[in-house]
Amino acid sequence: MNSLKKITTLTFLLAGLQIALFGQSNEQLTEEKGAQVVEINTSAHCQDCKDRIEYELTFTKGIVSTEFADDSQTLTVKFKSKKINRDEIRALISSMGYDADYVKADKDAFNMLPKSCKAPALKAAGN
Protein backbone atom coordinates (compact mmCIF):
# COMPACT_ATOMS: atom_id res chain seq x y z
CA MET A 1 0.00 0.00 0.00
CA ASN A 2 2.89 2.36 0.84
CA SER A 3 4.45 1.87 -2.59
CA LEU A 4 1.08 2.68 -4.23
CA LYS A 5 1.11 6.10 -2.48
CA LYS A 6 4.66 6.73 -3.69
CA ILE A 7 3.74 5.81 -7.28
CA THR A 8 0.64 8.03 -7.18
CA THR A 9 2.59 10.95 -5.71
CA LEU A 10 5.36 10.54 -8.26
CA THR A 11 2.79 10.42 -11.10
CA PHE A 12 1.18 13.67 -9.94
CA LEU A 13 4.58 15.34 -9.59
CA LEU A 14 5.59 14.32 -13.10
CA ALA A 15 2.24 15.46 -14.51
CA GLY A 16 2.59 18.81 -12.75
CA LEU A 17 6.13 19.24 -14.04
CA GLN A 18 5.01 18.42 -17.58
CA ILE A 19 2.18 20.97 -17.41
CA ALA A 20 4.55 23.62 -16.07
CA LEU A 21 7.09 22.98 -18.83
CA PHE A 22 4.54 22.95 -21.64
CA GLY A 23 2.89 26.06 -20.23
CA GLN A 24 6.17 27.98 -20.43
CA SER A 25 6.85 26.76 -23.96
CA ASN A 26 3.47 27.94 -25.18
CA GLU A 27 3.96 31.33 -23.54
CA GLN A 28 7.34 31.85 -25.23
CA LEU A 29 5.89 30.77 -28.57
CA THR A 30 3.06 33.29 -28.21
CA GLU A 31 5.56 36.09 -27.46
CA GLU A 32 7.53 35.24 -30.60
CA LYS A 33 4.33 35.30 -32.64
CA GLY A 34 3.59 38.74 -31.16
CA ALA A 35 6.80 40.13 -32.64
CA GLN A 36 6.54 42.44 -35.64
CA VAL A 37 9.08 43.45 -38.25
CA VAL A 38 9.70 46.91 -39.68
CA GLU A 39 12.13 48.01 -42.37
CA ILE A 40 13.48 51.52 -41.87
CA ASN A 41 15.42 53.47 -44.46
CA THR A 42 18.27 55.25 -42.72
CA SER A 43 21.08 57.65 -43.52
CA ALA A 44 23.54 55.16 -41.98
CA HIS A 45 26.01 53.88 -44.54
CA CYS A 46 29.12 52.30 -43.03
CA GLN A 47 30.20 49.60 -40.57
CA ASP A 48 30.57 52.19 -37.77
CA CYS A 49 27.01 53.37 -38.35
CA LYS A 50 25.75 49.77 -38.34
CA ASP A 51 27.61 48.96 -35.13
CA ARG A 52 26.41 52.11 -33.40
CA ILE A 53 22.74 51.55 -34.27
CA GLU A 54 22.70 47.82 -33.56
CA TYR A 55 24.51 48.30 -30.23
CA GLU A 56 22.01 50.89 -29.06
CA LEU A 57 18.98 48.89 -30.16
CA THR A 58 20.33 45.72 -28.54
CA PHE A 59 19.76 47.32 -25.13
CA THR A 60 16.34 48.73 -25.97
CA LYS A 61 13.38 47.07 -24.28
CA GLY A 62 11.14 45.35 -26.81
CA ILE A 63 13.73 44.98 -29.58
CA VAL A 64 14.19 41.31 -30.50
CA SER A 65 16.74 41.62 -33.30
CA THR A 66 18.20 44.01 -35.87
CA GLU A 67 19.82 43.55 -39.25
CA PHE A 68 21.40 46.35 -41.25
CA ALA A 69 21.95 46.13 -45.00
CA ASP A 70 24.57 48.79 -45.80
CA ASP A 71 24.10 48.45 -49.55
CA SER A 72 20.48 49.67 -49.29
CA GLN A 73 20.88 51.58 -45.99
CA THR A 74 17.89 49.62 -44.67
CA LEU A 75 17.56 48.53 -41.07
CA THR A 76 15.24 45.58 -40.39
CA VAL A 77 14.03 45.51 -36.79
CA LYS A 78 12.07 42.71 -35.15
CA PHE A 79 10.27 44.04 -32.09
CA LYS A 80 7.51 43.32 -29.58
CA SER A 81 4.71 45.75 -30.25
CA LYS A 82 3.48 45.62 -26.65
CA LYS A 83 6.78 47.16 -25.50
CA ILE A 84 7.78 49.53 -28.31
CA ASN A 85 6.27 50.79 -31.56
CA ARG A 86 7.60 51.73 -34.99
CA ASP A 87 7.63 55.47 -34.36
CA GLU A 88 9.53 55.02 -31.10
CA ILE A 89 12.15 53.00 -32.98
CA ARG A 90 12.43 55.74 -35.62
CA ALA A 91 12.77 58.37 -32.88
CA LEU A 92 15.55 56.33 -31.25
CA ILE A 93 17.47 56.13 -34.53
CA SER A 94 16.99 59.87 -35.02
CA SER A 95 18.31 60.53 -31.51
CA MET A 96 21.50 58.70 -32.55
CA GLY A 97 22.05 61.16 -35.42
CA TYR A 98 20.58 59.23 -38.34
CA ASP A 99 17.53 59.78 -40.54
CA ALA A 100 14.89 57.09 -40.06
CA ASP A 101 12.31 57.12 -42.85
CA TYR A 102 10.45 60.41 -42.51
CA VAL A 103 12.04 61.28 -39.14
CA LYS A 104 15.10 63.49 -39.67
CA ALA A 105 18.27 63.02 -37.65
CA ASP A 106 18.63 64.99 -34.44
CA LYS A 107 21.10 67.78 -35.33
CA ASP A 108 23.01 67.68 -32.05
CA ALA A 109 23.40 63.90 -32.24
CA PHE A 110 24.43 64.15 -35.91
CA ASN A 111 27.16 66.64 -34.97
CA MET A 112 28.51 64.13 -32.41
CA LEU A 113 28.95 61.38 -35.02
CA PRO A 114 32.44 60.59 -36.33
CA LYS A 115 33.35 62.42 -39.55
CA SER A 116 33.20 59.20 -41.58
CA CYS A 117 29.57 58.67 -40.57
CA LYS A 118 28.66 62.23 -41.56
CA ALA A 119 30.51 62.27 -44.92
CA PRO A 120 27.62 61.44 -47.31
CA ALA A 121 25.24 63.90 -45.62
CA LEU A 122 27.84 66.67 -45.66
CA LYS A 123 28.64 65.96 -49.29
CA ALA A 124 24.94 66.12 -50.23
CA ALA A 125 24.61 69.43 -48.36
CA GLY A 126 27.60 70.81 -50.25
CA ASN A 127 29.88 71.18 -47.20
Side-chain angles (χ1 to χ4, degrees), residues 3-110:
S3 64
L4 183 60
K5 285 183 182 179
K6 288 180 182 178
I7 291 172
T8 305
T9 304
L10 183 59
T11 302
F12 282 116
L13 280 172
L14 290 174
L17 181 61
Q18 184 177 11
I19 290 169
L21 289 174
F22 283 117
Q24 287 178 355
S25 285
N26 289 339
E27 187 175 300
Q28 290 170 349
L29 184 61
T30 303
E31 285 180 11
E32 283 298 312
K33 285 184 179 178
Q36 294 184 9
V37 176
V38 63
E39 285 188 357
I40 299 173
N41 293 316
T42 70
S43 58
H45 66 279
C46 66
Q47 185 66 38
D48 287 341
C49 298
K50 173 191 182 298
D51 293 344
R52 188 172 282 102
I53 291 172
E54 288 182 345
Y55 179 81
E56 182 71 29
L57 293 180
T58 296
F59 297 104
T60 301
K61 189 175 183 177
I63 301 293
V64 176
S65 66
T66 61
E67 186 176 327
F68 182 73
D70 56 354
D71 57 332
S72 64
Q73 295 178 297
T74 302
L75 179 69
T76 303
V77 181
K78 186 174 181 181
F79 66 99
K80 294 183 181 178
S81 58
K82 290 184 178 182
K83 305 218 183 244
I84 192 167
N85 65 47
R86 296 164 195 251
D87 287 333
E88 290 171 325
I89 296 169
R90 288 181 185 103
L92 249 173
I93 295 166
S94 170
S95 73
M96 288 183 256
Y98 301 99
D99 294 341
D101 289 336
Y102 52 84
V103 180
K104 295 297 178 193
D106 177 88
K107 289 180 182 181
D108 291 334
F110 176 80

